[in-house]
């Protein structure tokens, strides 16, 4: 048990999936030729004026609605001044005093315990470009400059790396379910900065916090926080805390698994915020508020429905609602006629258990209709669960039709009672001595009879074999 308490607050940058940038009409598409999607406005050329993209405002309202936050009808854009090569204007248009989204909360679950994490604010801002350092040269790609970001700032309510990751995964699922971002971490449309500090347990003071910048995977976020906590605890116990733990921005070296100093951490005053003179204050009227507040069923609501209406266990419902793709796949299976229990098992255990490496739910070639058909054939008794697994193995390797595979692989079960009874009578006639032993009390011989019937019938329905055998044996 550690003698120290960890204090974690997170700043998450979510790139909104608008077609055009936040203050100009340039495309936001990813992976285009460098510096293709730029114009005088996002390049910061003299005389070019920004115009706010109303779609970004709607998406911010949707997020605020989803986390039960205050939506500020009046908000202001400000200039955040700093110089860096990927920031053409030498300032970033952001929000400071009055953001679009005020205080809200996000509930997380860790070790079967629910905890509520406060959200301080969520404000709109423009992204910077991208610096590329290679072969002793530094280049800049400004395609990303001016793309719309929603920066979501949490309260310092998290006390472990597990809680931080749970919060991020919940936030990731919220923006995906809302459809306001693809939240692709590899492409940088869901990025996290972690503010980490420690204090002795029982101490209510807040000590020096360190910011770990631009973390873009749940695995690295967890490792970076854990390394930083250990570094700060070691400095505290060695008596070097004041010298080694300073307010700064650090980077996480994924190869070494450690953080390293990047630069001193700026305070708000260093950025010299002031209202942007080129942008009018934002007023959200009732129509825009209503339009932005129309949101789909959120993960927590969907989870409750799965538990209360479909009878799923809380853990299973949580697995399904942790991913938009999983939830949509599952519900599509239900629409195709699969039972909730069958769809859950064959999706989360059988199908996902077979996906390895880069093979994903989207690329494996087994769509929801195909898997639902397989589940239905098992539930109808046409094939056994074992045969279903054999068919799924084939479907993973190549596209196929479930019914055709049942026929071509000879896996159809015999459900004709007359045919099964004929085999049972044949087996019992050939084993009269064991029948007598069974009737005298050797119940374990029942398994022997089942095995013999299954062997001789070549595909009888096991459930029906059991039922008919019990009738014949009395």
């Amino acid at each position: 048990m550690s003698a120290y308490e960890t204090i974690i607050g997170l700043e998450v940058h979510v790139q909104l999936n608008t077609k055009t940038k936040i203050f100009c009409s340039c495309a936001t598409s990813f992976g285009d030729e460098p510096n293709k999607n730029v114009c005088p406005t996002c390049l910061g050329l003299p005389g070019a004026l920004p115009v706010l993209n109303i779609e970004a405002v709607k998406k911010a309202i949707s997020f605020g609605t989803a986390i039960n936050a205050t939506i500020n009808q009046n908000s202001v854009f400000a200039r955040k001044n700093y110089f860096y090569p990927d920031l053409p204007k030498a300032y970033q248009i952001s929000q400071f005093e009055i953001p679009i989204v005020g205080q809200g909360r996000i509930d997380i679950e860790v070790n079967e315990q629910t905890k509520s994490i406060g959200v301080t604010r969520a404000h709109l801002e423009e992204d910077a470009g991208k610096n590329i350092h290679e072969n002793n040269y530094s280049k800049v790609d400004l395609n990303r400059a001016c793309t719309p970001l929603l920066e979501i700032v949490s309260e310092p309510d998290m006390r472990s790396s597990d809680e931080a990751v749970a919060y991020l995964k919940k936030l990731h699922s919220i923006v995906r379910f809302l459809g306001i971002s693809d939240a692709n971490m590899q492409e940088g449309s869901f990025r996290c900065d972690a503010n980490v500090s420690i204090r002795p347990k029982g101490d209510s003071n807040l000590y020096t916090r360190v910011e770990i910048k631009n973390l873009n995977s749940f695995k690295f976020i967890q490792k970076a926080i854990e390394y930083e906590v250990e570094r700060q605890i070691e400095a505290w116990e060695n008596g070097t805390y004041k010298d080694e733990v300073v307010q700064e921005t650090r980077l996480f070296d994924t190869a070494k698994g450690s953080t390293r100093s990047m630069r001193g951490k700026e305070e708000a005053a260093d950025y010299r915020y002031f209202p942007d003179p080129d942008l009018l204050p934002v007023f959200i009227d009732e129509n825009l508020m209503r339009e932005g507040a129309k949101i789909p069923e959120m993960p927590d609501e969907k989870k409750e429905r799965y538990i209360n209406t479909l009878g799923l266990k809380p853990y299973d419902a949580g697995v399904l609602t942790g991913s938009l793709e999983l939830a949509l796949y599952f519900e599509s299976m239900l629409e195709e006629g699969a039972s909730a229990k069958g769809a859950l098992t064959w999706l989360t255990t059988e199908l996902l258990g077979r996906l390895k490496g880069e093979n994903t739910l989207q690329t494996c070639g087994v769509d929801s209709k195909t898997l639902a058909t397989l589940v239905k054939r098992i539930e109808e008794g046409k094939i056994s669960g074992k045969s279903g697994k054999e068919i799924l193995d084939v479907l993973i390797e190549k596209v196929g039709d479930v019914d055709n595979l049942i026929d071509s692989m000879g896996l159809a079960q015999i459900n004709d009672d007359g045919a099964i009874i004929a085999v049972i009578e044949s087996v019992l006639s050939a084993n009269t001595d064991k029948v007598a032993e069974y009737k005298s009390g050797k119940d374990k011989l029942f398994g022997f009879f089942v095995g013999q019937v299954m062997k001789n019938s070549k595909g009888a329905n096991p459930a029906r074999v059991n039922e008919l055998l019990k009738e014949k044996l009395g």
Side-chain angles (χ1 to χ4, degrees), residues 15 28 81 109 163 331 458:
Q15 182 176 321
T28 56
N81 295 273
E109 195 169 300
E163 289 186 5
E331 294 194 358
K458 297 180 180 179

Side-chain angles (χ1 to χ4, degrees), residues 324-392:
L324 176 61
E325 288 77 16
L326 266 183
L328 293 177
Y329 197 109
F330 173 73
E331 294 194 358
S332 179
M333 288 183 71
L334 298 186
E335 290 172 4
E336 292 293 335
S339 69
K341 184 179 179 181
L344 168 73
T345 301
W346 283 86
L347 171 57
T348 61
T349 302
E350 299 299 339
L351 179 56
L352 293 186
R354 285 166 167 76
L355 303 185
K356 298 175 182 177
E358 296 182 357
N359 207 6
T360 67
L361 198 60
Q362 292 74 42
T363 63
C364 70
V366 183
D367 60 25
S368 56
K369 183 176 181 179
T370 300
L371 191 60
T373 301
L374 183 63
V375 171
K376 286 191 293 181
R377 296 299 176 262
I378 295 167
E379 293 176 338
E380 292 163 357
K382 187 169 184 179
I383 57 171
S384 66
K386 181 185 176 192
S387 296
K389 293 177 183 180
E390 291 179 35
I391 291 171
L392 187 55

Side-chain angles (χ1 to χ4, degrees), residues 208-340:
T208 305
R209 64 182 172 89
V210 169
E211 180 185 52
I212 312 171
K213 198 78 173 171
N214 284 341
L215 300 165
N216 65 352
S217 86
F218 297 128
K219 175 184 174 183
F220 292 148
I221 288 162
Q222 183 146 26
K223 287 188 173 183
I225 290 173
E226 289 172 354
Y227 174 86
E228 186 57 30
V229 169
E230 289 180 12
R231 185 183 76 88
Q232 293 186 24
I233 289 174
E234 185 177 344
W236 191 295
E237 292 184 338
N238 291 341
T240 57
Y241 181 84
K242 289 185 178 179
D243 295 324
E244 294 183 18
V245 182
V246 297
Q247 187 161 319
E248 64 178 344
T249 296
R250 297 177 72 87
L251 291 177
F252 180 63
D253 188 321
T254 57
K256 296 180 179 178
S258 60
T259 63
R260 57 182 172 82
S261 181
M262 177 183 176
R263 61 172 183 263
K265 174 62 179 169
E266 302 90 344
E267 297 285 0
D270 296 324
Y271 291 122
R272 305 187 313 282
Y273 283 98
F274 65 87
D276 192 303
D278 292 335
L279 286 163
L280 291 170
V282 178
F283 173 72
I284 302 173
D285 62 25
E286 294 300 326
N287 288 333
L288 182 55
M289 188 73 81
R290 278 195 299 271
E291 199 171 337
K294 293 176 183 175
I295 62 173
E297 187 179 42
M298 288 287 96
D300 285 347
E301 297 169 327
K302 201 176 283 291
K303 180 180 177 181
E304 286 301 310
R305 178 166 64 83
Y306 288 175
I307 294 169
N308 298 328
T309 305
L310 301 179
L312 299 186
K313 294 177 181 178
Y315 173 80
D316 293 329
V319 169
L320 289 172
T321 56
S323 158
L324 176 61
E325 288 77 16
L326 266 183
L328 293 177
Y329 197 109
F330 173 73
E331 294 194 358
S332 179
M333 288 183 71
L334 298 186
E335 290 172 4
E336 292 293 335
S339 69

Side-chain angles (χ1 to χ4, degrees), residues 8 35 63 87 89 126 197 208 241 247 271 284 327 407 428:
I8 303 168
N35 299 306
F63 175 76
L87 194 69
K89 297 190 287 284
E126 61 180 342
S197 65
T208 305
Y241 181 84
Q247 187 161 319
Y271 291 122
I284 302 173
D407 293 337
L428 297 182

Side-chain angles (χ1 to χ4, degrees), residues 2 57 134 154 164 190 314 331 419 426 428 474:
S2 175
V57 177
E134 58 185 18
S154 82
F190 189 91
E331 294 194 358
S426 173
L428 297 182

